[in-house]
Amino acid sequence: MKKSKIFAIVSALLLTSGTLVACGDNAGGDDEELTGTALAVSKASKMTLEELEQASREEVEAQPGQQFKVVGLTSVLKSVAKTVAGKYDWLKYTEGKEEGDNINVNNGYKDYQLLTALDTAERQYFADYALAQDARSFSDYLEDGILFNYVPSDVDALGLPEEGKTPLFGVHFNKLFWTNSNFTHITGKTLHNIWQLAGTDADPEHLDKLSFQKPDTEQINMSFLVSAYAEENQDRILKAYKSYYGKDWEQSGDYQNAGQQWVAELIKNVTRWHTSDGTAMKETQLKDDWNAGYVYYGAFAKMKDAVGKFYAIEGQDTDPILKDLVIKEGENAGKICAMDTVKWDWEIEGFNGFMYCMDSQIINNAKFPYTACLFARTMLEQETYTTAIYNSKNPDAQGNPANQYGYYYPGKADSTFRYAKGDWTKETHMEKELNENYEYLKNVRKSTINAILTMVSSNKA
């Protein structure tokens, strides 16, 4: 039985790992040994952009009435599809699904749901292109030939780092530890060290309220936790430990390194397993938890939801913080924007969170494999990214539409790139956060995953 089949059976409770055999890596190999999608992706990896565009046009024109299907986990796909369709006249996409559209976007999946759905692609057509989250989880699908990794022939000119080629980067995202802006007023503490979230109440400045999504279904959270086990991340964890406790960490029989201890104690200290990062950021932290003193771990990209949410909060006119945030005029007069109450930019010893990518993958039995490759390559162009993701709701310091919080261009941006006011650059986020390392994550043992799941199940918060 293939590993991906095991995944489907356990329905995301047991997460697997495997060894990647990426078609993009084998682009220089013998195409005579390949067939179907594997052959098309191998050929596409050798094509110039002009040749790939022509191959896409030809396959679309040869299948009138058929739709190029895109699947994933983010609304960004709709914006990218619109941008791609605006660039290539043989492709058409409108969010209203007008007659004649030949791009179909389904971005409503959770990560585990998408991988389970992809199982059907082993035998039959499912879709053409996937923007898949959590490379650790989909490594088996690459190994089994359900997904194929395309690497553009001009990838170096696109500014991708070496680790961005396999799997091929699509869009950078991150998850952070954050609070509401009332946190210090309520608790008398700051969030300054990862070990505050571990240990016990006896520890200095221990933080006893943590809201976290369960890593059995939110698989990127599992990758974050096991990344704390990685040898490459131990130095920063050890330094944070010594700063917090005033002594060096010492190995015990229970933990092979400090990261394992931190994860075990963090899980034990979770006091709420929230089900939605978006709801936590756009609503819970203000409407329900304003005076609760919670630390949250969640997707920074959900700031885009908090930007558009306004609430009237009981006691807001006398609250020492809220009274200054009440909007004075306009359609939201008398209300508070949830975004204005999110405190995310803590200086945390150890790390602030986890930086990862949603990756471009070509799906087995694709009807439009060359168009899927063209879609993946077009996503890597800075102009495509800025057209699709810049937003006037979160402008830069000069008031220009800018990068949405939590969405970052995967290549090296030039000097014209604009970040939302107050946001850090992608490079700063990467420096302050743990980073997804595919070569490490794909080899994480199932026993390690199961041990973490056992710890999670024992916490009945």
Side-chain angles (χ1 to χ4, degrees):
M1 180 181 291
K2 289 179 178 286
K3 294 176 185 175
S4 55
K5 296 303 175 187
I6 297 173
F7 180 98
I9 292 171
V10 300
S11 188
L13 292 179
L14 297 178
L15 306 181
T16 58
S17 62
T19 302
L20 172 66
V21 179
C23 190
D25 281 353
N26 299 331
D30 188 356
D31 286 349
E32 293 180 0
E33 299 176 1
L34 303 175
T35 60
T37 308
L39 177 59
V41 174
S42 180
K43 287 183 175 179
S45 295
K46 303 184 186 77
M47 290 178 176
T48 64
L49 175 58
E50 292 74 18
E51 290 169 338
L52 182 60
E53 291 169 341
Q54 183 61 28
S56 169
R57 178 191 287 275
E58 289 176 359
E59 70 179 2
V60 170
E61 292 178 348
Q63 301 177 79
Q66 296 293 311
Q67 291 190 320
F68 166 61
K69 292 185 179 181
V70 173
V71 295
L73 295 76
T74 173
S75 57
V76 165
L77 281 173
K78 292 183 177 181
S79 299
V80 173
K82 187 181 298 184
T83 304
V84 171
K87 185 172 183 178
Y88 297 114
D89 60 14
W90 58 92
L91 297 169
K92 183 180 178 184
Y93 176 77
T94 53
E95 289 194 44
K97 297 183 178 179
E98 294 181 0
E99 184 177 353
D101 282 6
N102 59 2
I103 303 180
N104 181 297
V105 178
N106 183 344
N107 66 301
Y109 290 96
K110 286 280 192 178
D111 50 5
Y112 69 94
Q113 293 172 334
L114 176 58
L115 293 181
T116 301
L118 282 168
D119 273 320
T120 62
E122 184 177 32
R123 305 176 302 277
Q124 61 194 27
Y125 174 73
F126 168 66
D128 301 284
Y129 169 93
L131 188 64
Q133 178 175 287
D134 190 24
R136 177 188 59 82
S137 294
F138 69 70
S139 63
D140 290 340
Y141 290 72
L142 282 153
E143 182 182 75
D144 292 351
I146 292 175
L147 296 176
F148 294 92
N149 192 63
Y150 159 71
V151 180
S153 62
D154 60 346
V155 65
D156 292 332
L158 293 167
L160 277 188
E162 189 64 32
E163 63 270 18
K165 300 176 183 178
T166 306
L168 185 71
F169 281 177
V171 180
H172 257 113
F173 289 87
N174 58 346
K175 289 203 172 195
L176 300 175
F177 288 110
W178 53 276
T179 70
N180 65 28
S181 53
N182 200 33
F183 179 79
T184 298
H185 178 73
I186 290 297
T187 66
K189 302 172 183 177
T190 61
L191 174 55
H192 62 86
N193 192 298
I194 57 170
W195 287 96
Q196 292 175 272
L197 301 169
T200 69
D201 289 338
D203 295 330
E205 297 192 289
H206 176 75
L207 300 174
D208 59 1
K209 290 183 177 178
L210 174 62
S211 191
F212 199 94
Q213 266 192 290
K214 283 190 173 180
D216 52 358
T217 54
E218 184 70 0
Q219 295 172 5
I220 198 68
N221 283 6
M222 179 65 78
S223 285
F224 164 60
L225 294 175
V226 297
S227 291
Y229 285 24
E231 189 60 36
E232 66 188 65
N233 294 322
Q234 293 315 298
D235 186 56
R236 62 200 301 172
I237 296 173
L238 289 168
K239 287 180 179 178
Y241 182 94
K242 185 168 185 178
S243 176
Y244 183 63
Y245 286 108
K247 60 182 181 180
D248 290 328
W249 180 82
E250 295 183 0
Q251 183 174 353
S252 70
D254 294 331
Y255 308 111
Q256 294 181 1
N257 62 36
Q260 290 187 4
Q261 179 176 334
W262 180 80
V263 168
E265 293 181 359
L266 177 89
I267 292 172
K268 188 178 295 185
N269 279 303
V270 172
T271 50
R272 180 172 61 205
W273 300 107
H274 66 254
T275 57
S276 167
D277 288 348
T279 299
M281 185 172 280
K282 71 185 180 186
E283 181 175 334
T284 308
Q285 58 86 16
L286 175 57
K287 289 183 64 178
D288 300 327
D289 289 351
W290 181 248
N291 293 310
Y294 262 97
V295 176
Y296 307 83
Y297 177 78
F300 190 35
K302 299 305 179 181
M303 281 284 278
K304 77 179 189 306
D305 299 327
V307 167
K309 292 297 180 179
F310 301 86
Y311 305 102
I313 305 299
E314 184 177 354
Q316 65 185 26
D317 293 328
T318 56
D319 185 281
I321 295 176
L322 291 181
K323 66 182 181 180
D324 294 329
L325 300 177
V326 177
I327 298 170
K328 300 300 189 292
E329 56 186 33
E331 63 176 319
N332 292 304
K335 297 180 180 180
I336 296 164
C337 180
M339 183 197 73
D340 292 339
T341 63
V342 176
K343 168 67 175 174
W344 61 268
D345 55 346
W346 294 100
E347 291 291 334
I348 305 175
E349 291 183 89
F351 43 82
N352 282 60
F354 187 54
M355 177 71 81
Y356 61 96
C357 254
M358 287 188 183
D359 300 304
S360 289
Q361 294 295 296
I362 317 304
I363 304 172
N364 192 42
N365 288 312
K367 292 180 180 178
F368 299 95
Y370 293 110
T371 304
C373 293
L374 181 61
F375 192 91
R377 191 210 170 279
T378 306
M379 280 190 71
L380 298 176
E381 298 174 0
Q382 182 173 313
E383 182 180 2
T384 299
Y385 178 92
T386 56
T387 301
I389 298 182
Y390 273 11
N391 195 308
S392 60
K393 290 182 179 180
N394 35 252
D396 67 4
Q398 288 72 45
N400 302 304
N403 186 67
Q404 289 186 31
Y405 296 99
Y407 295 75
Y408 301 99
Y409 177 57
K412 184 173 178 58
D414 65 27
S415 60
T416 66
F417 192 86
R418 300 194 296 266
Y419 286 95
K421 183 179 180 180
D423 195 5
W424 297 330
T425 66
K426 182 184 76 172
E427 289 72 25
T428 299
H429 278 290
M430 295 183 75
E431 179 183 341
K432 290 178 177 288
E433 297 151 26
L434 300 186
N435 291 273
E436 184 178 54
N437 181 338
Y438 180 71
E439 291 304 314
Y440 165 76
L441 288 170
K442 71 178 182 178
N443 293 314
V444 171
R445 294 182 181 275
K446 188 168 69 175
S447 59
T448 299
I449 303 300
N450 289 342
I452 292 176
L453 290 175
T454 298
M455 288 187 274
V456 169
S457 66
S458 68
N459 181 337
K460 304 301 182 182

